[in-house]
Amino acid sequence: MAQQIERLGGRIHTGVRVNSLNDLPTRRLTLLDVSPRELARIAPLPAGYLRALSRYRYGPGAAKADFLVEGAIPWADPRLSRAATIHLGGTHGTAQELAHAETVTARGLSVRHPYVIVVDPAAADPVRAVRGR
């Protein structure tokens, strides 16, 4: 996406603190990667929208990464290679710890031992696999 923006004449600035959108150069489009509080801090917005932003409820963080791996994942238990979804986490990774972490997270609370969900769609649907990967 960055290459496409730059190819079309756009510029990307990172690592710069913006104190007000009015401090930015004149532009047709501005893309921001900020929280609701930061948007309220830097943008001249209508009072009603600012109130809505101040009521935003922050939840647990999530991130997604896609990897194309060559060969099978070397699980300690080979039965896992047949599972499309695997929940990993906890200090010992017990089912009880994972259930607790997922329940607490679903309630919007933070957990001491987060978890990761690994998804391999090709395990359930081999047609989705890239040949040899």
Side-chain angles (χ1 to χ4, degrees), residues 62-102:
K64 178 181 182 292
D66 294 312
F67 299 98
L68 181 60
V69 296
E70 192 168 334
I73 297 172
W75 298 108
D77 184 336
R79 293 177 296 175
L80 294 175
S81 65
R82 297 190 310 266
T85 304
I86 300 169
H87 299 235
L88 303 172
T91 54
H92 300 99
T94 67
Q96 292 80 12
E97 287 175 323
L98 290 169
H100 172 74
E102 290 175 355

Side-chain angles (χ1 to χ4, degrees), residues 97-122:
E97 287 175 323
L98 290 169
H100 172 74
E102 290 175 355
T103 300
V104 169
T105 301
R107 291 181 182 153
L109 304 171
S110 60
V111 293
R112 177 174 231 171
H113 303 286
Y115 61 94
V116 174
I117 298 176
V118 178
V119 178
D120 182 4

Side-chain angles (χ1 to χ4, degrees), residues 34-41 45 50 52-54 56-58:
V34 297
S35 70
R37 282 189 200 124
E38 281 298 294
L39 180 61
R41 184 183 68 77
L45 298 167
L50 287 170
L53 289 175
S54 72
Y56 181 81
R57 183 172 169 233
Y58 289 85

